Amino acid sequence: MEVHLSPGWIQTPGRSDPPVSARSSWDDRKDANSALLSNYEVFQLLTDLKEQRKESGKNKHSSGQQNLNTITYETLKYISKTPCRHQSPEIVREFLTALKSHKLTKAEKLQLLNHRPVTAVEIQLMVEESEERLTEEQIEALLHTVTSILPAEPEAEQKKNTNSNVAMDEEDPA
Amino acid sequence: MFVLVEMVDTVRIPPWQFERKLNDSIAEELNKKLANKVVYNVGLCICLFDITKLEDAYVFPGDGASHTKVHFRCVVFHPFLDEILIGKIKGCSPEGVHGNISLGFFDDILIPPESLQQPAKFDEAEQVWVWEYETEEGAHDLYMDTGEEIRFRVVDESFVDTSPTGPSSADATTSSEELPKKEAPYTLVGSISEPGLGLLSWWTSN
């Protein structure tokens, strides 16, 4: 399914040196945070690409295009099952503005945007050292920001309403 | 999960495509070359994002096609270290929950037995891994069945150079077998040994 291209053909600027160990190339990657794409952006891109190719119909089925068809179909299928499907540029902007006060790294904000966590456990997974950096109220506030700004799947909305009732009961004794 | 990678490449446009706009031909050629392919130490290329610069196109003697050096950006699947991903279990084996996780477009993700929620054991009868979860009531066996959605953390990645080796290798004659063992050019190693990781059904409140 995935085919490797020999390294001589494509030079990636800055990466044409002798093979670097996987770990250090990853550290470079982490610094290149400006190149991170959210799932929503990829979703938009692939949907637009699909529209364009549908309009210019004829050469979609030529053997050369098969790989592109496969990868766009599979990736679109994967992303469509995530909460990113219902996002829009305004929502993303609003979300990032709301997160400014929480002092999270770019990677953490990206994960929150892509996954839309609804429990404190998920927040702890995505935010490093969350026990030390965030108090319980801050985690609650963060959860609230995420669930109120980012749209959920329509059926998850109903589950969320019943869950929040349960959560309220649990908070009372505390 | 996805990153934008800047790359440079020379694209060859054959003469019968000269009537098309250059940008379109180049975009199509690049997509044909890159989509669904793994670039060593970069990741799995999804598609072309945009073309940032087109240098002059040259026609070389003996070849009627034009060659253009193109600077472009490509959408690449390359999760960063410690990123959380959600995938589907494809199968289990004694080596780990493997072949395992699939993201639809990317399949080579392995969770080795040490990184499963401990304690875990491999159930031979059903060929699945099981998490033996202890609670006050006693041990629950939580099965990791095929087709279940699983949340995991990426802990390692490895790129393998699968370019073909030249004919000068000594045992060229003995390789009469059709396919040398197929190695995946890009594999991820995951872990689910933290609270919150594992099958989604284990952690959704009920």
Side-chain angles (χ1 to χ4, degrees):
Chain A
M1 225 176 301
E2 296 121 8
V3 171
H4 167 70
L5 300 183
S6 76
W9 293 13
I10 296 187
Q11 316 148 24
T12 56
R15 305 218 184 288
S16 51
D17 330 276
V20 186
S21 77
R23 183 65 57 157
S24 58
S25 72
W26 220 334
D27 295 339
D28 293 342
R29 185 70 56 201
K30 226 174 175 182
D31 292 334
N33 266 346
S34 52
L36 289 174
L37 287 176
S38 70
N39 286 8
Y40 170 68
E41 291 172 289
V42 177
F43 177 69
Q44 264 310 87
L45 181 74
L46 291 177
T47 324
D48 290 343
L49 188 66
K50 202 167 78 155
E51 285 305 312
Q52 262 178 17
R53 301 182 69 231
K54 221 188 288 188
E55 281 163 24
S56 67
K58 46 182 196 135
N59 52 6
K60 221 177 20 158
H61 298 289
S62 69
S63 57
Q65 301 297 319
Q66 203 43 46
N67 266 329
L68 183 62
N69 292 345
T70 311
I71 192 74
T72 46
Y73 171 70
E74 293 284 353
T75 312
L76 222 39
K77 198 165 82 160
Y78 177 78
I79 300 187
S80 305
K81 287 190 300 192
T82 67
C84 309
R85 194 154 54 100
H86 305 282
Q87 292 170 1
S88 75
E90 297 79 34
I91 294 183
V92 175
R93 216 172 299 140
E94 204 189 317
F95 181 65
L96 290 176
T97 330
L99 281 186
K100 267 200 204 147
S101 53
H102 292 277
K103 289 191 293 212
L104 299 169
T105 67
K106 194 158 182 173
E108 290 166 354
K109 287 192 267 201
L110 182 67
Q111 290 200 78
L112 295 178
L113 182 63
N114 283 343
H115 288 279
R116 195 182 180 273
V118 297
T119 62
V121 167
E122 293 173 63
I123 300 266
Q124 278 169 2
L125 279 179
M126 298 180 192
V127 178
E128 271 177 68
E129 322 255 309
S130 56
E131 304 87 44
E132 296 166 14
R133 285 161 61 190
L134 301 174
T135 65
E136 274 214 33
E137 296 93 44
Q138 285 179 315
I139 295 190
E140 279 300 316
L142 194 53
L143 273 174
H144 181 76
T145 315
V146 169
T147 47
S148 57
I149 299 186
L150 297 180
E153 310 282 335
E155 30 164 74
E157 284 279 302
Q158 296 171 7
K159 248 199 262 173
K160 190 180 63 143
N161 287 336
T162 55
N163 274 352
S164 59
N165 292 337
V166 173
M168 304 248 276
D169 295 338
E170 287 175 1
E171 268 171 26
D172 285 333
Chain B
M1 217 186 304
F2 299 101
V3 282
L4 217 51
V5 178
E6 286 178 8
M7 302 194 209
V8 182
D9 194 20
T10 308
V11 176
R12 177 183 182 272
I13 309 287
W16 51 89
Q17 291 191 17
F18 281 177
E19 58 176 357
R20 301 177 61 193
K21 283 189 59 173
L22 183 62
N23 286 24
D24 295 342
S25 308
I26 290 191
E28 192 183 313
E29 282 297 312
L30 285 175
N31 271 327
K32 206 191 294 190
K33 190 179 202 178
L34 288 176
N36 209 11
K37 306 249 172 90
V38 173
V39 177
Y40 188 62
N41 277 344
V42 172
L44 171 68
C45 295
I46 308 284
C47 67
L48 176 73
F49 183 71
D50 65 2
I51 298 177
T52 46
K53 185 163 129 180
L54 281 179
E55 298 188 16
D56 290 335
Y58 292 95
V59 177
F60 296 113
D63 181 6
S66 77
H67 295 78
T68 321
K69 195 161 178 194
V70 186
H71 297 247
F72 59 98
R73 291 186 293 184
C74 184
V75 179
V76 176
F77 170 69
H78 188 160
F80 51 85
L81 185 59
D82 288 343
E83 183 170 356
I84 306 286
L85 293 178
I86 299 187
K88 257 200 183 117
I89 297 188
K90 260 176 52 184
C92 292
S93 76
E95 289 95 54
V97 183
H98 106 73
N100 341 328
I101 319 278
S102 154
L103 297 181
F105 56 95
F106 182 74
D107 279 352
D108 303 303
I109 307 180
L110 164 73
I111 300 187
E114 314 79 70
S115 310
L116 295 174
Q117 296 270 12
Q118 296 303 332
K121 69 171 199 288
F122 187 65
D123 185 334
E124 295 289 340
E126 308 213 2
Q127 292 285 301
V128 287
W129 280 93
V130 180
W131 178 28
E132 295 162 323
Y133 180 58
E134 295 277 332
T135 60
E136 304 83 50
E137 294 106 41
H140 278 292
D141 274 353
L142 295 170
Y143 284 80
M144 307 178 68
D145 298 315
T146 313
E148 291 286 334
E149 299 219 327
I150 184 170
R151 184 184 293 133
F152 62 98
R153 189 191 287 280
V154 177
V155 294
D156 199 9
E157 63 173 9
S158 74
F159 284 100
V160 174
D161 190 355
T162 54
S163 344
T165 51
S168 53
S169 52
D171 46 2
T173 48
T174 61
S175 50
S176 49
E177 45 203 89
E178 310 288 295
L179 292 166
K181 64 167 170 60
K182 265 194 170 167
E183 274 204 74
Y186 178 38
T187 45
L188 291 176
V189 177
S191 150
I192 52 169
S193 58
E194 286 169 53
L197 297 179
L199 260 51
L200 293 187
S201 51
W202 295 347
W203 301 100
T204 47
S205 44
N206 35 355

